[in-house]
Amino acid sequence: MKEARTSSINRKGQRRRMRLFFFVILCFFVWTSYTLFLQSGELSKKETELEALKQESAILQQKQEDLTYEASRLNDQEYLAELVRKRILFTKQGESIYIIPD
């Protein structure tokens, strides 16, 4: 009779340990799922931010190329004279400037 009681107590203890083990495993899976969910949201935000920065970088690269080209053109005397004539209405001797309204 004592052996039957001991066996019954061992089974109850074993069941209790198994339930505790599965509860711990369940908690672990819930925690990892929650963490994965949060990280996927952050990753999505970072990818969007990366795309925006790539576009901004491309725009700035194009602007830099345009400014480099403009700077190289400033070394040309003919272009420089044309630019001065347009911007500050500089005239050569004997020329007249007529401003036509748009």
Side-chain angles (χ1 to χ4, degrees):
M1 183 85 155
K2 222 177 186 185
E3 287 180 19
R5 257 181 104 192
T6 308
S7 175
S8 173
I9 292 173
N10 283 341
R11 285 187 184 160
K12 286 182 182 180
Q14 187 178 12
R15 285 184 194 155
R16 199 175 297 146
R17 285 189 297 271
M18 289 299 287
R19 285 184 193 150
L20 179 63
F21 175 74
F22 285 124
F23 179 73
V24 169
I25 295 296
L26 177 67
C27 289
F28 177 75
F29 281 122
V30 168
W31 174 73
T32 54
S33 299
Y34 179 72
T35 303
L36 182 64
F37 175 75
L38 290 179
Q39 288 180 355
S40 67
E42 286 295 317
L43 183 61
S44 166
K45 288 179 188 176
K46 295 293 181 183
E47 286 174 347
T48 304
E49 185 178 333
L50 178 63
E51 281 301 316
L53 289 174
K54 281 183 179 180
Q55 290 176 354
E56 184 180 345
S57 174
I59 291 169
L60 290 175
Q61 184 71 29
Q62 182 62 42
K63 187 174 181 180
Q64 181 183 6
E65 289 173 7
D66 292 344
L67 290 173
T68 303
Y69 175 70
E70 184 71 26
S72 70
R73 288 189 69 193
L74 289 175
N75 292 329
D76 182 18
Q77 293 298 322
E78 290 178 24
Y79 175 73
L80 197 54
E82 178 185 334
L83 193 63
V84 169
R85 292 177 87 186
K86 283 183 182 178
R87 288 198 182 165
I88 60 172
L89 304 174
F90 184 77
T91 61
K92 293 182 181 178
Q93 193 167 355
E95 285 184 335
S96 298
I97 296 178
Y98 299 101
I99 300 175
I100 303 172
D102 291 334

